[in-house]
Amino acid sequence: MNFDFTDEQKMFKSALERVVREKIEPLLASYPEDQPLPRDACVKIRETLLPLGIHGSRVPVEYGGSGLGAVGLGIAAETIPYEAFELLMCMEVVALRICMGGSEEMKRKYVPKIMNGEKFAASGTSEPDVGSDPRGIRTRAVLKGDRYILNGTKIWVSAGSVADYLLIVASMGKDEKGGNIITPFLVDVKESPVVVKNLDLMGIRQSHICEVFLEDVSVPKENIFIGAKGHAHRILTGSWLSQRPVVGLCNIRLAQKAYAAALKYSLQRHQFGKPIASFQLVQNMLVEMRTLIDCSQLLCYRALTMFDEGKRPDVESSMAKYYACEAALRVTSLAVQVHGAFGITKEFPVEKYYRDERVLSFPDGTIDIQKLIVGRELTGIRAFS
Ligand SMILES: Cc1cc2nc3c(=O)[nH]c(=O)nc-3n(C[C@H](O)[C@H](O)[C@H](O)COP(=O)(O)OP(=O)(O)OC[C@H]3O[C@@H](n4cnc5c(N)ncnc54)[C@H](O)[C@@H]3O)c2cc1C
């Protein structure tokens, strides 16, 4: 059993850490913390990170993928601030999904433009009334002549307000058993305009999580995912399988930052004539934080390694995401506790980690949904409804 990264992965991680320290963090700090980054800043982030290949991690090499794999994407998630990582991650997911379910023509037309850094991309599945159960999707796609006409509203679309390509999951009606026929469609927003509105969240406020309004949006009929017609869940669950531990590691990045800040503060802050780190109860918090982080990393990288080895980590992936999110919620909260009342001021970074973490536990399925998936795999019984 090997618990370490390969030499290549270690080199990738240290190159990434340097770029984040020297370029990405200063760039993020030069913009207001409470507003989505302007497009030119997003372009700068993309240009800076493009040579590292994150946006092509799981994309097949024949379509321009970088071969970093799911573990490489996980390393990036754990290293890059989410506000910047979001842009690359969403490009990667859309390119991967096109490769999984798009026609050969779609793969040749759209994937290279994402891979060469010309286009941003985002995925819209969730709707105001549809969250954990995507089978209820209401956005409609109706074929009229040689175009599909899309109508509906998507919400929580990450990187949605900068995206050039939107992957929209829509319903094509009901099958003979009354089931919703849901299918992804690719919308090139330059040719088929949509209306977007950034959401004002409590955390990760420089990111671009938005609502997308589709009103008679007309797309060429070739932009349907032929490999997933009526079976969008195959594409969604196929990519979520390795995506969920990646999101877990985004959460763990915040936990690590919070832990480091708490450790530093506990050694500097004196009460009763001693550093607070010398009190057993404070050490207990630090030990719990560090243990939760280590366990989460092991679970996430185990699932990602399985995926890269061609195995299906059905249990391991959801277990990793649920554990990492719960761990990060606890760790960021404990970090505030170690700081006492100063922890809730803007003077220290832990209040931001706490707010950011509250937001980041939701993407790609809540903690409860991950537990239900693991429960289903263990017992063979679906306890969703
Ligand atoms: C930062 C961020 C980024 C996101 N990015 C995207 C994106 O790019 N594209 C996209 O399509 N979506 C995105 N989402 C949406 C995300 O996938 C949903 O928030 C998530 O799937 C949960 O849906 P919901 O918020 O509507 O909660 P709901 O489904 O309404 O759930 C509410 C509560 O009920 C619980 N619950 C629901 N069903 C059950 C059940 N059967 N048993 C027990 N408990 C249950 C949930 O666990 C939760 O606690 C993003 C969300 C966030 C916060």
Side-chain angles (χ1 to χ4, degrees):
M1 205 173 275
N2 186 359
F3 290 105
D4 211 353
F5 293 130
T6 62
D7 288 345
E8 246 180 8
Q9 287 164 343
K10 282 181 197 162
M11 274 163 54
F12 171 65
K13 187 166 169 54
S14 75
L16 210 48
E17 281 166 353
R18 196 172 55 249
V19 172
V20 166
R21 198 174 48 247
E22 292 174 4
K23 302 210 167 129
I24 302 296
E25 284 175 349
L27 189 141
L28 294 178
S30 68
Y31 289 95
E33 188 266 316
D34 59 353
Q35 284 163 38
L37 295 168
R39 190 178 174 90
D40 61 339
C42 298
V43 170
K44 242 184 255 173
I45 289 169
R46 184 176 61 188
E47 279 170 4
T48 306
L49 292 173
L50 209 69
L52 289 153
I54 299 149
H55 64 302
S57 298
R58 294 171 297 169
V59 176
V61 176
E62 66 264 35
Y63 294 106
S66 60
L68 280 175
V71 171
L73 189 62
I75 292 172
E78 209 189 349
T79 312
I80 307 173
Y82 185 81
E83 296 85 337
F85 180 65
E86 171 199 50
L87 300 165
L88 282 294
M89 178 181 72
C90 292
M91 290 163 68
E92 201 264 0
V93 171
V94 172
L96 173 71
R97 288 178 176 171
I98 295 174
C99 289
M100 288 169 80
S103 64
E104 200 51 38
E105 190 193 337
M106 261 173 115
K107 291 177 201 172
R108 301 276 167 217
K109 185 171 174 190
Y110 296 108
V111 175
K113 290 187 178 160
I114 301 174
M115 288 301 104
N116 69 18
E118 207 181 307
K119 303 286 184 185
F120 285 114
S123 299
T125 302
S126 308
E127 298 180 355
D129 293 321
V130 178
S132 302
D133 184 9
R135 290 172 309 176
I137 276 172
R138 294 182 183 179
T139 296
R140 295 296 307 268
V142 177
L143 186 62
K144 285 203 176 139
D146 59 355
R147 317 274 300 177
Y148 276 101
I149 309 299
L150 305 185
N151 277 287
T153 303
K154 294 293 173 182
I155 195 167
W156 315 118
V157 182
S158 297
S161 50
V162 290
D164 303 289
Y165 297 153
L166 284 169
L167 197 58
I168 296 294
V169 181
S171 166
M172 300 174 71
K174 304 272 181 201
D175 62 21
E176 60 284 356
K177 289 184 189 152
N180 207 356
I181 305 173
I182 56 167
T183 304
F185 291 82
L186 196 94
V187 179
D188 179 338
V189 299
K190 201 166 167 205
E191 290 168 9
S192 313
V194 298
V195 175
V196 294
K197 183 175 151 245
N198 280 313
L199 293 162
D200 193 9
L201 309 180
M202 67 186 277
I204 51 166
R205 303 184 75 186
Q206 288 181 323
S207 59
H208 302 81
I209 293 157
C210 66
E211 271 184 288
V212 175
F213 303 94
L214 302 118
E215 206 182 310
D216 290 331
V217 172
S218 160
V219 298
K221 75 173 185 329
E222 294 74 32
N223 284 22
I224 187 172
F225 267 42
I226 47 158
K229 195 172 172 189
H231 299 286
H233 62 275
R234 232 191 275 150
I235 303 295
L236 296 175
T237 46
S239 54
W240 279 333
L241 211 52
S242 48
Q243 186 66 17
R244 285 174 167 153
V246 169
V247 175
L249 286 164
C250 292
N251 285 255
I252 287 307
R253 180 188 158 273
L254 287 172
Q256 289 181 73
K257 289 268 182 195
Y259 164 73
L263 178 63
K264 182 175 166 201
Y265 185 82
S266 70
L267 292 166
Q268 288 170 350
R269 173 79 172 170
H270 283 64
Q271 288 297 294
F272 299 94
K274 292 177 183 171
I276 59 167
S278 62
F279 303 127
Q280 289 180 359
L281 291 175
V282 173
Q283 285 196 8
N284 186 51
M285 287 195 270
L286 295 170
V287 171
E288 184 184 342
M289 292 161 91
R290 186 51 211 273
T291 308
L292 287 169
I293 290 168
D294 279 20
C295 290
S296 303
Q297 287 172 316
L298 290 171
L299 286 172
C300 290
Y301 284 116
R302 177 181 68 165
L304 295 175
T305 302
M306 285 175 69
F307 185 84
D308 282 343
E309 288 172 353
K311 299 173 189 152
R312 269 191 71 97
D314 289 288
V315 168
E316 294 80 1
S317 168
S318 287
M319 190 190 281
K321 193 200 175 227
Y322 118 63
Y323 191 90
C325 292
E326 272 195 353
L329 286 167
R330 172 89 179 136
V331 171
T332 49
S333 172
L334 283 175
V336 173
Q337 191 64 27
V338 169
H339 282 71
F342 285 108
I344 56 170
T345 68
K346 299 269 179 203
E347 230 177 286
F348 291 91
V350 288
E351 66 84 29
K352 179 176 184 308
Y353 302 145
Y354 181 77
R355 284 187 289 112
D356 288 354
E357 174 48 34
R358 209 63 205 78
V359 176
L360 264 189
S361 69
F362 293 114
D364 292 347
T366 64
I367 289 169
D368 297 312
I369 293 300
Q370 305 310 321
K371 288 183 180 174
L372 290 172
I373 293 170
V374 178
R376 180 195 62 200
E377 295 299 318
L378 297 182
T379 64
I381 302 167
R382 285 186 94 253
F384 292 84
S385 53

